[in-house]
Amino acid sequence: MRPCSAALTSYLNSVANLNVVQFDLFTFALVGGEILRYSGGDSARTIPAAGFPTGSINYGSQQTFTLGPRFGRSKVTTKIGVQAAELDIEIIAGINDLIGTFPFADGVRLGLFDGATVELDRLFAPPQPAGGALDTSLGTLLWFYGQVADCDVGRSKIALKVKSLMNLLAIQQMPRRLYKASCGHVFGDTMCGYDRVAGKNALGVSTGNGQGTVTAASGTTQGLINATATVPTIYSQGTITGATGANTGYSRTIANLGNGSQIGLFKSFLFAIAIGDTFTVLPGCDHTTATCNGTFNNLARYGGFPYIPPPENAA
């Protein structure tokens, strides 16, 4: 049973003949923190906070779905068992359909949609009176929820394959932990125990390697930030998040540090970066014993087996 708003539940239970307007609403929550909302109807629509059911990405606040590219999709099916349901979305985007400052197709090519969470809502509304506005107070029914598994950009359309969260069971590494030299923990998670913000190891001892702040200087682009000061090497493979400017609240992974003050990003920020914009940076880890011990003083939580022999030498 799919969840829907309380008002829609009451309406569907009360009407004898269902005569409503229906159309799709698409929500894309990108891994960097950006959320894109598009209307599948003939115009932009604003849905009140009460119009979204619990569990929706949009739950708890009023949201506006803009009129962007044209969308097509496959049928949504419900299956008994553990097989992941799939949804195929086709997007036809024009030159004026942008993601931040990027054309829609370029944004997909840059990997901005990789691993994104997708929500498909079905809006129900009473018949629109002649010359009147469409009443969106009935809210939505959560029709499908999943993550982008594959993207394909063609000459005329963009194809996204979305799989339900059941697919996460199929891609889990089993067994969860493997014998290998490098650490298998995610840096900063519960198993690692390192506080990346405060710069403290799992025992609460300060190492001085925590959150920092950088300021964008001239020559900065959306994919390469020139900082006004030298950036320590501990932030390589770390995380950078916008603190001021158009990219406030959005995060990216640091690919490399060049020339001492250049921060290269795996994926570009969506919006242009102005000189003087500030960012917070969190340290990264290369999952070796040398870094774990020497830089983060966290060897007690090291999750690898550095002295395990290679397979060809194991007896």
Side-chain angles (χ1 to χ4, degrees):
M1 184 175 180
R2 296 185 175 95
C4 63
S5 67
L8 181 56
T9 300
S10 177
Y11 181 82
L12 295 178
N13 288 332
S14 63
V15 295
N17 297 311
L18 184 60
N19 183 20
V20 293
V21 177
Q22 304 179 42
F23 54 82
D24 293 335
L25 301 173
F26 295 87
T27 303
F28 300 90
L30 309 186
V31 294
E34 301 92 341
I35 298 181
L36 311 175
R37 298 179 177 90
Y38 298 104
S39 168
D42 57 358
S43 63
R45 299 295 179 188
T46 298
I47 314 300
F52 299 102
T54 304
S56 168
I57 296 174
N58 305 300
Y59 176 74
S61 58
Q62 175 178 292
Q63 303 295 350
T64 298
F65 293 77
T66 61
L67 189 64
R70 290 183 291 166
F71 291 88
R73 65 172 177 86
S74 61
K75 292 182 178 180
V76 176
T77 60
T78 302
K79 301 178 181 179
I80 298 176
V82 295
Q83 183 178 355
E86 295 184 359
L87 176 68
D88 293 320
I89 300 177
E90 291 185 349
I91 305 172
I92 301 177
I95 58 175
N96 294 323
D97 295 316
L98 304 177
I99 307 173
T101 61
F102 299 105
F104 210 100
D106 288 349
V108 177
R109 290 191 186 98
L110 289 170
L112 298 178
F113 281 80
D114 292 353
T117 300
V118 179
E119 179 177 314
L120 170 64
D121 294 299
R122 191 74 172 167
L123 175 68
F124 290 77
Q128 184 173 354
L134 187 70
D135 180 9
T136 61
S137 62
L138 288 181
T140 65
L141 184 151
L142 205 164
W143 202 246
F144 188 88
Y145 192 96
Q147 289 185 331
V148 174
D150 189 34
C151 305
D152 183 42
V153 181
R155 296 180 64 182
S156 60
K157 65 182 180 181
I158 301 164
L160 303 180
K161 181 175 289 293
V162 185
K163 295 188 177 183
S164 67
L165 298 185
M166 190 71 72
N167 186 57
L168 297 177
L169 297 176
I171 62 177
Q172 290 298 312
Q173 176 178 282
M174 295 296 291
R176 182 174 178 274
R177 296 190 64 189
L178 301 177
Y179 286 102
K180 58 180 180 178
S182 60
C183 179
H185 300 329
V186 175
F187 184 45
D189 70 359
T190 303
M191 295 291 286
C192 169
Y194 190 83
D195 188 335
R196 299 172 69 197
V197 176
K200 297 180 179 180
N201 66 12
L203 297 177
V205 178
S206 177
T207 66
N209 295 321
Q211 178 176 284
T213 302
V214 297
T215 303
S218 61
T220 293
T221 66
Q222 289 166 247
L224 179 67
I225 298 174
N226 284 331
T228 55
T230 300
V231 181
T233 57
I234 60 166
Y235 297 112
S236 180
Q237 303 180 47
T239 305
I240 182 169
T241 303
T244 63
N247 296 289
T248 299
Y250 303 144
S251 299
R252 292 293 185 268
T253 299
I254 298 172
N256 57 72
L257 300 174
N259 298 332
S261 60
Q262 288 186 331
I263 303 175
L265 308 177
F266 275 110
K267 298 176 183 178
S268 300
F269 277 106
L270 289 189
F271 303 100
I273 300 173
I275 297 175
D277 284 354
T278 59
F279 298 82
T280 59
V281 287
L282 297 177
C285 180
D286 61 7
H287 301 276
T288 63
T289 54
T291 299
C292 185
N293 185 42
T295 303
F296 301 115
N297 191 22
N298 203 40
L299 194 61
R301 290 290 189 95
Y302 187 73
F305 303 87
Y307 304 113
I308 189 171
E312 58 271 18
N313 295 336

